């Protein structure tokens, strides 16, 4: 089945620790995105990538880093510089028309 | 991207049509209207999109007014599984906001038995 997978479903971070969230897609999409969602709020864009080896900051990139070494993969690292990392993280991808974005199931990050 | 306004919540009886309104009075000519929904603790799901003509797919219908300042998403026979937050988004995919979707608060649709 084609789609987007995110792992893990739940992730716990200790103070001062970097953690990496995985996002993989087999839709052959060029563009991929990371969003953050806080309780009762809409989604906010963290980073996006239009093509392999290229990515751009979104609205709330501080404290996060990404890489795009392969078309299928767009991992997000939540660094220790992100002081309020507890949130629901969503990865998405879109195809040639850049119109419709398809989302993964999300990763919920909690701070211990 | 143009801003959208949606009611914070709506109720619907199971089996009846759910009509979700969206106001986008500042929409520009090359911006599409998209609808997504998000069931609790899941990723958003694409429903439908349109530019100026009405659109229908297996999930829903989208009615866009002639002046394009508002639209209505119609779920023809709502089920309990349609309970979700519905987001109306106006977006120009080929513009400078490249692929960025601006999600507002959306409408919480609750379908009752």
């Amino acid at each position: 089945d084609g789609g987007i997978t995110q792992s893990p479903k739940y992730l716990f971070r200790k103070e001062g620790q970097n953690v990496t969230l995985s996002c993989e897609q087999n839709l052959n999409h060029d563009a991929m995105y990371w969003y953050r969602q806080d309780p009762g709020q809409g989604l906010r864009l963290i980073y996006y990538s239009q093509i392999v080896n290229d990515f751009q900051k979104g609205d709330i990139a501080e404290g996060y880093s990404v890489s795009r070494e392969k078309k299928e993969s767009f991992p997000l690292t939540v660094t220790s510089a992100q002081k309020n990392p507890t949130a629901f993280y969503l990865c998405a991808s879109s195809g040639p028309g850049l119109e419709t974005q398809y989302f993964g199931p999300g990763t919920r990050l909690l701070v211990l | 991207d143009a801003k959208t306004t949606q009611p914070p919540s709506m109720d619907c009886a199971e089996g009846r049509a759910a009509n979700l309104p969206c106001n986008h009075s500042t929409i520009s000519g090359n911006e599409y209207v998209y609808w997504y929904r998000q069931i609790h603790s899941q990723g958003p799901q694409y429903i439908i999109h349109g530019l100026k003509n009405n659109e229908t797919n297996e999930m829903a219908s989208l009615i866009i007014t002639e002046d394009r300042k508002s639209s209505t998403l119609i779920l023809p026979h709502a089920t309990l599984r349609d309970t979700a937050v519905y987001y109306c988004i106006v977006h120009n995919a080929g513009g400078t906001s490249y692929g960025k979707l601006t999600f507002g608060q959306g409408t919480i649709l609750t379908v009752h038995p």
Side-chain angles (χ1 to χ4, degrees):
Chain A
D1 287 335
I4 300 177
T5 57
Q6 291 185 242
S7 62
K9 187 172 183 179
Y10 295 95
L11 185 59
F12 298 92
R13 192 191 93 163
K14 295 180 180 179
E15 293 287 343
Q17 185 182 41
N18 292 354
V19 292
T20 298
L21 285 62
S22 169
C23 177
E24 303 279 332
Q25 55 100 357
N26 61 3
L27 300 168
N28 199 33
H29 285 169
D30 285 318
M32 297 187 73
Y33 313 83
W34 274 106
Y35 292 88
R36 168 183 171 137
Q37 186 174 35
D38 292 287
Q41 304 297 314
L43 281 66
R44 293 184 290 167
L45 184 66
I46 304 173
Y47 268 98
Y48 64 97
S49 170
Q50 303 176 29
I51 199 167
V52 175
N53 292 322
D54 182 68
F55 49 83
Q56 307 295 329
K57 292 182 178 180
D59 297 324
I60 55 166
E62 185 174 353
Y64 301 97
S65 66
V66 293
S67 62
R68 187 81 188 280
E69 297 176 0
K70 297 188 301 180
K71 187 176 186 177
E72 304 79 20
S73 179
F74 190 40
L76 174 74
T77 296
V78 183
T79 74
S80 57
Q82 173 49 248
K83 299 306 179 187
N84 185 24
T86 296
F88 190 42
Y89 290 87
L90 290 155
C91 179
S93 70
S94 63
L98 304 177
E99 293 179 349
T100 302
Q101 291 189 17
Y102 296 91
F103 286 81
T107 293
R108 195 166 298 278
L109 176 61
L110 301 168
V111 176
L112 297 177
Chain B
D1 289 343
K3 183 177 177 180
T4 62
T5 304
Q6 299 177 252
S9 64
M10 295 184 66
D11 291 333
C12 179
E14 190 176 19
R16 305 297 294 268
N19 297 284
L20 290 86
C22 180
N23 184 289
H24 32 80
S25 58
T26 59
I27 192 171
S28 61
N30 55 357
E31 288 181 317
Y32 288 76
V33 179
Y34 288 81
W35 284 84
Y36 286 77
R37 73 179 182 185
Q38 187 175 23
I39 296 170
H40 183 63
S41 294
Q42 297 182 23
Q45 176 189 24
Y46 164 79
I47 302 173
I48 198 167
H49 75 282
L51 184 62
K52 53 183 178 181
N53 297 324
N54 298 337
E55 302 287 340
T56 296
N57 63 20
E58 64 279 3
M59 290 183 67
S61 294
L62 174 61
I63 308 299
I64 302 174
T65 58
E66 191 169 343
D67 63 7
R68 303 210 321 126
K69 294 182 183 298
S70 65
S71 61
T72 301
L73 178 74
I74 301 173
L75 307 178
H77 306 285
T79 71
L80 299 179
R81 285 179 292 182
D82 292 322
T83 293
V85 180
Y86 287 78
Y87 296 100
C88 170
I89 299 166
V90 173
H91 177 60
N92 176 9
T96 56
S97 61
Y98 188 98
K100 172 185 170 182
L101 299 179
T102 301
F103 285 79
Q105 303 280 21
T107 295
I108 301 172
L109 174 68
T110 304
V111 181
H112 297 286

